[in-house]
């Protein structure tokens, strides 16, 4: 173990001179990379983001000159602490992420270490191939990280662990030696050693380890599918071809830096079916694994009822849990084949085999529909995040989450493990790769008191002895790192521990590569992220954080580092990360910095932290993390809270006063819309610059009449139908009143009696994005007072703008948790679609001629509702949706208007939204219910988007309430008035100056 006490400033300076990529030794970068997905935290020396392997070579050379340790990092999702250290962190995920070659004939792919697994799998699938190991983090884990951990995943029963799928590697040692490693014949081995030099020396020492420890290796390494503990010394044995590449797989960055790997590809069954078996409990399910394996599945996972119960508590994929067959323990069995006929036969034979069981006969459900199968798989893939933070329960931690035994010993091992946990009063869920005998779990260890930490240590030591008695491995996938390395003597004995030490020394004699992990490890109970001495800063907050027991600190512990926010395909979460690939623009990166802010040891300015403000700057407050993050990290709320405190006593950026206070300005501007539009046009680029608005943006034009004015002048329609209140939000009222008119016409056509919300009420949606929480709270308090009679009467209040609806369903409850009026209003505030869905589906009503549409779903709507009601309404009136989820539009309220965010906003739109619009048929329309979404579409594509209410009106009445855009003559008159006024003002100034001049003379 190396303790570095060098000159970080000089090291940083030398690196900046030599490295083309990014060198970051600032407090923010060091704080952000201080932990992975484990219980451990070590603040690094600094961070290097290399452009290419020349940067890596230079970094290792300069670090060697300074005696600084090195830590290679990919996706940063390691669960055993191997991805945090006091070292120079090299993050290859941003730039060194290319597939260098993919040869479908040889079934080989050459990749850089930062390539994300799903990108490789997608490229291979074009040829009917795949990279077999696929851990639950497949959407963001990198091949370099998988090589470091010897990762496995669901389909390792089909393809083996990562080590079995690596043909060769090009590696770099800490002392600067580059070499290609792979299988080595005895003749080649002799030649390499005879050639001498550093390479010959390394191979000579490896041969010596093989010859002296070979018999002990054969005796001590458990013959199970999932031994990932220790170093892969058995790969040096003659029967394994002295495969140096595979011996380095699983060394967790402690021996070499991987520059490039040749990965083996295997056939990917094109036809797949999922069969779910339900049993009395998870132990019976485990007992049945050997019988199920006789059916030759390509994937076999197990889950228990505790996991499903916790997912229901969190409302995490509830529809997936509902699909499971009867039982309290389940096996997810996937079969694959080259044809649908072959698959059907295989599944039928397997089901018949299971139905013939007299003892432990399971309930069975078959999922041939790929969409339903993917949904059911979500119950397994989300297990880590789903079990970490459960409402009303203590936080659950890793630490004993990865042991593996022989599959035929799995049931008995799980029963004894549960008994041991009960002895300590621990609660956990059980799930994992049951086909390989690997079990994952998170346990509610107390890691914040001396007594709790002592119990934690005692438990894992006893658990290690338990798994060894069952002939198993301490780690079946996640590696040893710091979490299990100290326990390795229990499994391997002192002699083999010395062999591991010699293996590392052969490659890294000075101990510079990820020191203190696997070999000569830090103690299990040191470097804890929390620990008995942890004293977070005290916080008084505006929001209530009821889901976190009223504690902002508890909210900051939510992020467990699973990295779901680092995916670049699918979903909405972290659109800014998707285009920048910067850790600080991921939910995890931001959450890490907020945690470090309350920790205070690196970021010591509390709420005034510039590092946190900078990371939050590109957060779009899209709320996607609230639903897509497995642990429900709510970055939009945290951002509002932080900005509320950060700007206390400080001036905000110009955009905060112009766009953040738009509800106030809009009410004023809408009184004289022609004059306001003319003035903003005349102000031009100077006005935008003054307001902090991008020159690339057009300012939305005020409507000639607001919705409130139009409604007052309208003949009231007499109806005996149910009374509803249409919420006249700022954007509908002042800019798009035609949408409000369409909604009123539609509701009246369906028999409702419609009133508008009282004039002057506003939910204050833009206030939250800029931290104006004192204004926001006043607005909501006013709404509660003014609407109290309607709240008491349970009058439905109908929203058209999704961003406003989210205020009433989210922020309102978080700011007024104890006000019964808030709780009532949150339930009676409904969307237009929720109100009209049943009448549209149940009545024989006319619909439009079928029309194709690109539908841009508002981020807040997706984040706060998993319902299909919006699509149901569109389908019922003849709208055919051409696209799936295409993520965020990139506008996000004021975000896309701000000058320094314009490029990011456009890049987000160009990811999926704009390509979908461009590729759609010419006659297709665009549907976007959010004002900002419509502005993004209109300004960047030239299309005129529709609100759902406009399409419903057309279906019901055959017309659409059109916006009576300001006539040209009115605009000209307003322009003339402004010009004349400006001229008179100029004349007055000139005369005034002359008079003053005459007085002075």
């Amino acid at each position: 173990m190396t303790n570095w006490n060098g000159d970080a400033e000089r090291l940083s300076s030398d690196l900046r001179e030599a490295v083309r990529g990014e060198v970051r030794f600032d407090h923010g970068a060091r704080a952000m990379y201080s932990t992975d997905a484990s219980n451990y935290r070590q603040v690094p020396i600094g961070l290097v983001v290399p452009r290419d392997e020349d940067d890596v070579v230079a970094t290792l050379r300069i670090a060697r000159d300074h005696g600084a340790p090195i830590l290679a990092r990919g996706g940063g999702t390691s669960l055993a602490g191997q991805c945090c250290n006091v070292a120079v962190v090299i993050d290859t995920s941003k730039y060194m992420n290319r597939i260098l070659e993919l040869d479908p004939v040889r079934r080989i792919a050459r990749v850089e270490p930062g390539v994300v697994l799903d990108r490789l799998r997608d490229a291979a699938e074009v040829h009917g191939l795949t990279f077999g190991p696929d851990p639950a983090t497949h959407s963001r884990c990198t091949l370099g990280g998988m090589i470091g951990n010897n990762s496995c995943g669901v389909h390792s029963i089909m393809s083996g662990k990562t080590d079995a799928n690596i043909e060769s590697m090009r590696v770099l040692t800490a002392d600067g030696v580059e070499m290609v490693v792979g299988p080595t014949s005895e003749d080649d081995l002799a030649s390499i050693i005879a050639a001498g030099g550093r390479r010959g020396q390394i191979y000579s020492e490896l041969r010596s380890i093989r010859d002296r420890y070979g018999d002990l290796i054969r005796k001590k390494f458990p013959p199970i599918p999932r031994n990932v503990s220790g170093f892969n010394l058995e790969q040096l044995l003659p029967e394994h071809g002295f495969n140096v590449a595979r011996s380095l797989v699983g060394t967790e960055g402690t021996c070499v830096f991987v520059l490039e790997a040749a990965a083996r590809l295997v056939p990917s069954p094109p036809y797949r079916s999922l069969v779910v078996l339900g049993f009395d409990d998870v132990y019976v399910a485990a007992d049945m694994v050997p019988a199920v394996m006789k059916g030759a599945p390509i994937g076999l996972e197990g889950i228990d009822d505790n996991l499903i119960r916790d997912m229901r508590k969190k409302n995490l994929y509830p529809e997936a849990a509902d699909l499971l067959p009867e039982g309290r323990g389940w096996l997810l069995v996937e079969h694959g084949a080259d044809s649908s006929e072959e698959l059907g036969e295989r599944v039928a034979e397997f089901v018949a085999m299971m139905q013939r069981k007299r003892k432990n006969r399971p309930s069975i459900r078959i999922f041939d529909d790929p969409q339903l199968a993917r949904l059911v798989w979500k119950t397994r893939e989300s297990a880590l995040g789903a079990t970490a933070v459960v409402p009303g329960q203590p936080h659950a931690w890793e630490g004993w989450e990865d042991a593996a035994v022989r599959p035929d010993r799995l049931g008995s091992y799980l029963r004894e493990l549960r008994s041991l946990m009960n002895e300590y009063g621990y609660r956990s869920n059980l799930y994992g790769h049951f086909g390989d005998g690997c079990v994952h779990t998170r346990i509610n260890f107390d890691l914040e008191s001396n007594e709790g930490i002592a119990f934690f240590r005692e438990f894992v030591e006893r658990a290690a002895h338990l798994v060894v008695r069952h002939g198993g491995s301490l780690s079946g996938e996640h590696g040893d790192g710091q979490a299990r390395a100290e326990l390795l003597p229990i499994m391997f004995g002192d002699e083999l521990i010395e062999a591991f030490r010699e293996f590392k020394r052969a490659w890294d004699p000075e101990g510079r590569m990820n020191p203190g992990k696997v070999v000569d490890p830090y103690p299990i109970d040191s470097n804890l992220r929390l620990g008995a001495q942890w004293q977070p800063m005290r916080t008084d907050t505006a929001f209530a954080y009821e889901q976190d027991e009223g504690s902002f600190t508890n909210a900051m512990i939510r992020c467990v580092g699973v990295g779901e926010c680092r995916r670049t395909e699918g979903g909405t979460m972290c659109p800014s990360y998707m285009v920048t690939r910067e850790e600080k623009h991921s939910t995890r990166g931001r959450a890490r910095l907020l945690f470090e802010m309350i920790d205070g040891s690196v970021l010591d300015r509390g709420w005034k932290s510039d590092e946190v403000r900078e990371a939050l700057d590109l957060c779009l407050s899209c709320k996607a993390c609230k639903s897509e993050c497995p642990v429900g990290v709510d970055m939009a709320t945290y951002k509002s809270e932080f900005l509320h405190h950060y700007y206390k006593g400080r001036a905000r950026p110009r955009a905060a006063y112009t766009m953040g206070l738009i509800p106030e300005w809009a009410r004023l501007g809408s009184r004289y819309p022609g004059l306001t539009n003319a003035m903003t046009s005349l102000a031009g680029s100077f006005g935008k610059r003054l307001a902090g608005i991008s020159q690339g943006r057009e300012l939305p034009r005020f409507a000639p009449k607001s919705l409130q004015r139009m409604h007052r002048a309208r003949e009231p329609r007499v109806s005996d139908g149910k009374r509803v209140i249409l919420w006249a939000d700022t954007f509908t009222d002042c800019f798009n009143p035609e949408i409000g008119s369409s909604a009123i016409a539609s509701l009246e056509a369906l028999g409702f009696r419609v009133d508008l919300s009282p004039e002057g009420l506003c939910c204050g949606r833009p206030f939250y994005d800029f931290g104006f929480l004192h204004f926001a709270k006043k607005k909501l308090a006013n709404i509660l007072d003014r609407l109290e009679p309607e709240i008491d009467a349970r009058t439905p209040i109908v929203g058209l703008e999704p961003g406003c609806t989210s205020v009433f369903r989210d922020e309102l409850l978080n700011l007024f948790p104890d006000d019964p009026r808030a709780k009532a209003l949150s339930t009676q505030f409904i969307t237009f679609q929720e109100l009209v869905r049943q009448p549209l589906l149940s009545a024989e009503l006319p619909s439009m001629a079928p029309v194709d549409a690109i539908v841009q779903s508002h981020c807040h709507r997706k984040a706060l509702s998993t319902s299909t009601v919006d699509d149901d309404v569109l389908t019922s009136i003849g709208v055919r949706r051409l696209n799936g989820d295409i993520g965020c539009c990139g506008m996000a309220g004021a975000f896309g208007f701000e000058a320094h965010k314009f490029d990011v906003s456009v890049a987000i739109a160009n990811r999926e939204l704009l390509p979908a619009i461009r590729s759609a048929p010419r006659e297709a329309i665009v549907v976007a219910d959010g004002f900002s979404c419509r502005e993004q579409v209109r300004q960047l594509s030239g299309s005129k988007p529709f609100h759902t209410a406009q399409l419903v009106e057309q279906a019901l009445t055959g017309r659409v309430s059109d916006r009576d855009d300001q006539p040209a003559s009115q605009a000209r008159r307003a322009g003339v008035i402004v010009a004349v006024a400006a001229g008179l003002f100029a004349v007055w100034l000139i005369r005034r100056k002359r008079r003053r001049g005459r007085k002075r003379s």
Side-chain angles (χ1 to χ4, degrees):
M1 199 181 308
T2 302
N3 293 314
W4 190 73
N5 295 307
D7 187 334
E9 190 172 332
R10 276 192 54 214
L11 172 59
S12 171
S13 176
D14 290 350
L15 286 169
R16 284 192 174 89
E17 288 184 11
V19 171
R20 291 175 55 247
E22 293 141 27
V23 177
R24 303 170 184 167
F25 276 53
D26 59 280
H27 290 317
R30 293 173 62 234
M32 194 160 40
Y33 281 78
S34 64
T35 188
D36 45 20
S38 72
N39 298 329
Y40 300 100
R41 173 183 177 272
Q42 292 175 278
V43 180
I45 299 167
L47 169 69
V48 174
V49 184
R51 288 271 178 184
D52 50 33
E53 63 182 52
D54 289 342
D55 279 356
V56 175
V57 171
T59 301
L60 263 65
R61 172 176 54 80
I62 293 168
R64 181 169 66 253
D65 293 343
H66 285 264
I70 289 290
L71 168 60
R73 177 170 163 132
T77 57
S78 298
L79 286 151
Q82 59 266 60
C83 223
C84 58
N85 215 326
V86 181
V88 176
V89 176
I90 303 178
D91 183 351
T92 60
S93 64
K94 184 175 181 180
Y95 299 120
M96 292 184 66
N97 54 21
R98 296 176 300 161
I99 300 172
L100 302 171
E101 178 189 8
L102 198 156
D103 186 338
V105 177
R106 294 169 50 231
R107 295 181 179 176
I108 293 291
R110 288 193 306 112
V111 299
E112 291 183 317
V115 69
V116 169
L117 173 59
D118 270 0
R119 186 167 168 237
L120 173 60
R121 293 203 304 165
D122 290 345
E125 282 288 352
V126 174
H127 306 284
L129 302 172
T130 190
F131 185 75
D134 57 343
T137 54
H138 53 82
S139 63
R140 61 268 188 200
C141 68
T142 65
L143 264 291
M146 294 181 69
I147 289 168
N149 279 6
N150 199 4
S151 298
C152 307
V154 173
H155 295 103
S156 65
I157 63 173
M158 174 181 75
S159 64
K161 306 189 296 287
T162 295
D163 58 5
N165 294 275
I166 296 298
E167 295 298 312
S168 65
M169 298 193 301
R170 192 155 55 85
V171 300
L172 182 67
T173 65
D175 51 3
V177 177
E178 181 184 322
M179 65 181 82
V180 175
V181 295
T184 317
S185 69
E186 286 299 313
D187 289 343
D188 287 343
L189 178 57
S191 298
I192 293 169
I193 293 172
R198 183 74 177 96
R199 185 184 183 213
Q201 177 191 0
I202 291 171
Y203 274 69
S204 176
E205 292 180 23
L206 297 182
R207 183 177 67 177
S208 175
I209 292 171
R210 178 198 70 181
D211 293 344
R212 288 182 292 117
Y213 293 101
D215 289 340
L216 192 59
I217 292 169
R218 293 182 183 94
K219 178 182 177 182
K220 284 286 190 177
F221 274 69
I224 61 174
R226 285 294 192 94
N227 173 31
V228 177
S229 278
F231 289 155
N232 241 345
L233 299 187
E234 56 189 339
Q235 293 292 339
L236 298 178
L237 298 177
E239 55 264 39
H240 295 294
F242 201 83
N243 197 317
V244 178
R246 293 180 180 180
S247 74
L248 286 167
V249 174
T251 52
E252 304 180 13
T254 62
C255 296
V256 297
F257 192 102
V258 177
L259 295 172
E260 176 188 317
R264 179 174 73 104
L265 304 176
V266 298
S268 176
Y271 295 89
R272 302 188 183 205
S273 179
L274 176 64
V275 180
V276 182
L277 309 177
F279 298 92
D280 290 343
D281 56 40
V282 72
Y283 313 108
V284 175
D287 291 336
M288 292 297 292
V289 165
V292 172
M293 285 296 291
K294 291 178 182 178
I298 63 172
L300 175 53
E301 301 290 294
I303 56 178
D304 72 357
D305 57 329
N306 288 333
L307 170 61
I308 300 303
R309 185 162 54 247
D310 287 347
M311 290 183 72
R312 290 189 189 281
K313 283 184 180 179
K314 298 179 69 169
N315 198 35
L316 187 64
Y317 302 113
E319 64 275 27
D322 292 340
L323 293 172
L324 297 176
E326 184 180 351
R328 295 181 60 196
W330 295 269
L331 294 179
L332 281 59
V333 189
E334 186 177 42
H335 292 273
D338 292 329
S339 69
S340 58
E341 294 78 14
E342 181 189 356
L343 179 63
E345 291 173 5
R346 186 167 293 181
V347 170
E349 289 174 7
F350 173 74
V351 170
M353 181 177 70
M354 289 294 103
Q355 289 174 334
R356 285 195 298 268
K357 296 290 180 186
R358 293 184 178 179
K359 182 181 180 182
N360 299 328
R361 181 184 300 161
S363 58
I364 301 174
R365 185 160 186 189
I366 302 170
F367 297 92
D368 291 323
D369 182 337
Q371 286 188 323
L372 286 179
R374 277 195 294 272
L375 186 58
V376 174
W377 276 119
K378 284 292 185 183
T379 61
R380 169 62 189 89
E381 290 185 356
S382 303
L384 187 154
T387 59
V389 183
V390 180
Q393 294 175 7
H395 201 107
W397 304 98
E398 56 278 354
W400 191 255
E401 83 296 339
D402 192 37
V405 297
R406 272 197 349 238
D408 63 340
R409 301 290 297 272
L410 184 58
S412 59
Y413 166 69
L414 289 182
R415 290 179 177 91
E416 290 190 54
L417 178 65
R418 177 64 72 192
S419 177
L420 181 63
M421 287 192 285
N422 290 342
E423 187 178 333
Y424 283 82
Y426 290 148
R427 180 193 183 280
S428 76
N429 305 326
L430 299 172
Y431 56 93
H433 312 292
F434 280 23
D436 278 336
C438 179
V439 182
H440 298 324
T441 186
R442 295 179 72 91
I443 301 174
N444 58 320
F445 300 121
D446 169 12
L447 299 179
E448 296 183 57
S449 73
N450 288 320
E451 183 182 27
I453 294 169
F455 280 139
F456 156 69
R457 182 182 182 89
E458 182 182 290
F459 172 84
V460 295
E461 287 175 349
R462 291 181 62 184
H465 284 287
L466 169 63
V467 79
V468 169
R469 284 201 307 274
H470 282 271
S473 171
L474 309 185
S475 175
E477 181 171 35
H478 298 158
D480 300 313
Q482 184 174 347
R484 283 170 285 277
E486 195 185 356
L487 304 173
L488 289 177
I490 297 172
M491 179 177 172
F492 291 107
D494 292 338
E495 278 191 82
L496 275 184
I497 295 299
E498 182 57 34
F500 296 158
R501 194 174 285 119
E502 290 180 26
F503 183 85
K504 175 177 168 62
R505 198 157 51 233
W507 294 101
D508 180 30
E510 294 185 358
R512 299 295 179 194
M513 301 298 291
N514 205 10
K517 313 294 176 171
V518 187
V519 169
D520 298 322
Y522 296 103
I524 289 169
D525 48 3
S526 66
N527 299 326
L528 290 172
R529 187 177 172 213
L530 301 182
Q533 308 308 313
W534 190 54
Q535 292 185 326
M537 78 175 197
R538 298 184 177 216
T539 56
D540 294 319
T541 58
F543 288 114
Y545 302 102
E546 284 197 314
Q547 292 294 312
D548 296 290
E549 301 174 359
S551 167
F552 185 76
T553 297
N554 286 350
M556 293 308 97
I557 299 174
R558 267 184 179 270
C559 179
V560 295
V562 69
E564 183 85 10
C565 48
R566 281 176 55 95
R567 67 184 181 216
T568 56
E569 301 294 335
T572 303
M573 181 165 47
C574 284
S576 51
Y577 173 80
M578 290 182 179
V579 298
T580 66
R581 305 294 177 92
E582 281 282 353
E583 175 75 12
K584 72 178 178 182
H585 298 315
S586 69
T587 299
R588 183 178 73 178
R590 294 168 180 136
R592 290 289 189 243
L593 286 172
L594 283 163
F595 173 87
E596 291 291 331
M597 179 192 81
I598 64 168
D599 176 82
S601 59
V602 179
L603 305 183
D604 57 3
R605 298 188 62 206
W607 292 114
K608 302 301 181 183
S609 168
D610 289 327
E611 294 85 357
V612 175
R613 182 201 56 76
E614 183 182 343
L616 290 171
D617 189 47
L618 290 188
C619 171
L620 285 81
S621 297
C622 66
K623 290 184 182 286
C625 50
K626 189 177 178 72
S627 59
E628 293 183 24
C629 171
V631 294
V633 168
D634 184 3
M635 195 53 61
T637 295
Y638 307 159
K639 176 184 177 180
S640 293
E641 184 76 65
F642 175 81
L643 295 178
H644 170 68
H645 294 277
Y646 180 84
Y647 284 112
K648 274 185 180 176
R650 290 177 164 181
R652 285 174 161 83
R654 293 191 301 274
Y657 299 108
T658 54
M659 289 175 284
L661 299 179
I662 190 66
E664 309 304 311
W665 301 124
R667 298 296 177 193
L668 292 173
S670 66
R671 294 179 184 175
Y672 309 100
L675 185 62
T676 305
N677 289 335
M679 291 178 67
T680 54
S681 295
L682 286 172
S685 61
F686 173 75
K688 291 179 186 177
R689 192 176 300 112
L690 194 65
I693 296 171
S694 168
Q695 298 298 324
R697 288 297 181 192
E698 301 172 25
L699 295 179
R701 297 176 67 80
F702 285 90
K705 287 184 179 179
S706 69
L707 179 62
Q708 292 281 6
R709 288 173 61 193
M710 290 167 61
H711 194 65
R712 284 198 300 269
R714 185 174 178 267
E715 285 285 334
R717 176 167 174 170
V718 180
S719 171
D720 294 330
K722 183 176 182 179
R723 178 172 172 268
V724 298
I725 294 175
L726 184 69
W727 183 258
D729 63 87
T730 297
F731 303 103
T732 303
D733 185 35
C734 300
F735 299 100
N736 291 141
E738 71 279 6
I739 292 173
S741 296
S742 287
I744 293 170
S746 299
L747 295 175
E748 289 180 342
L750 290 170
F752 293 99
R753 185 158 49 96
V754 185
D755 287 331
L756 282 189
S757 55
E759 195 164 3
L761 294 188
C762 175
C763 70
R765 172 77 266 163
F767 295 163
Y768 301 93
D769 298 341
F770 292 94
F772 286 116
L773 294 187
H774 53 300
F775 288 162
K777 197 164 186 176
K778 286 180 181 177
K779 289 284 185 184
L780 291 178
N782 185 37
I783 289 171
L784 291 174
D785 291 341
R786 296 273 299 277
L787 289 184
E788 190 162 353
E790 307 294 353
I791 295 172
D792 291 340
R794 304 297 296 157
T795 308
I797 301 173
V798 185
L800 295 170
E801 174 61 40
C804 298
T805 303
S806 72
V807 170
F808 289 98
R809 293 185 175 178
D810 188 5
E811 283 87 357
L812 175 64
L813 295 173
N814 212 346
L815 289 171
F816 295 89
D818 300 319
D819 193 325
R821 298 175 303 171
K823 289 184 171 63
L825 181 56
S826 72
T827 60
Q828 70 190 79
F829 197 102
I830 59 177
T831 68
F832 172 80
Q833 291 92 326
E834 288 166 346
L835 181 63
V836 305
R837 178 178 182 269
Q838 278 310 120
L840 286 176
L841 292 177
S842 60
E844 289 294 330
L845 296 168
S847 65
M848 301 183 298
V851 60
D852 293 331
I854 298 296
V855 181
Q856 174 58 33
S857 301
H858 193 283
C859 294
H860 288 194
R861 181 71 177 138
K862 289 184 290 186
L864 298 179
S865 173
T866 59
S867 170
T868 62
V869 61
D870 294 6
D871 283 341
D872 291 345
V873 168
L874 291 174
T875 301
S876 71
I877 59 174
V879 176
R880 295 182 300 221
R881 181 171 182 152
L882 297 177
N883 60 294
D885 183 10
I886 50 178
C888 180
C889 73
M891 184 65 93
F895 181 94
F897 280 93
E898 293 184 69
H900 70 289
K901 298 175 182 177
F902 175 74
D903 290 341
V904 172
S905 172
V906 173
I908 292 170
N910 273 311
R911 283 190 66 254
E912 294 184 276
L913 172 61
L914 295 182
I917 293 173
R918 295 183 193 118
S919 63
R922 180 175 297 181
E923 64 275 10
I925 63 171
V926 180
V927 181
D929 289 344
F931 175 78
S932 59
C933 301
R934 292 193 299 276
E935 280 299 304
Q936 184 79 311
V937 170
R938 184 182 67 80
Q939 295 195 23
L940 298 184
S941 77
S943 301
K944 179 184 177 182
F946 292 88
H947 190 287
T948 298
Q950 294 172 296
L951 300 176
V952 171
E953 182 193 20
Q954 182 175 337
L956 294 175
T957 68
R959 62 180 179 79
V960 178
S961 296
D962 193 19
R963 169 171 167 171
D964 180 19
D965 272 321
Q966 178 173 280
S969 59
Q970 184 182 354
R972 282 196 297 270
R973 282 199 303 272
V976 168
I977 292 170
V978 172
V980 170
L984 292 172
F985 181 67
V987 170
W988 177 80
L989 280 177
I990 292 169
R991 288 181 174 178
R992 184 167 177 266
K993 187 175 181 180
R994 286 176 177 173
R995 283 197 300 271
R996 286 184 174 181
R998 284 197 294 271
K999 285 181 180 178
R1000 281 197 297 270
S1001 62

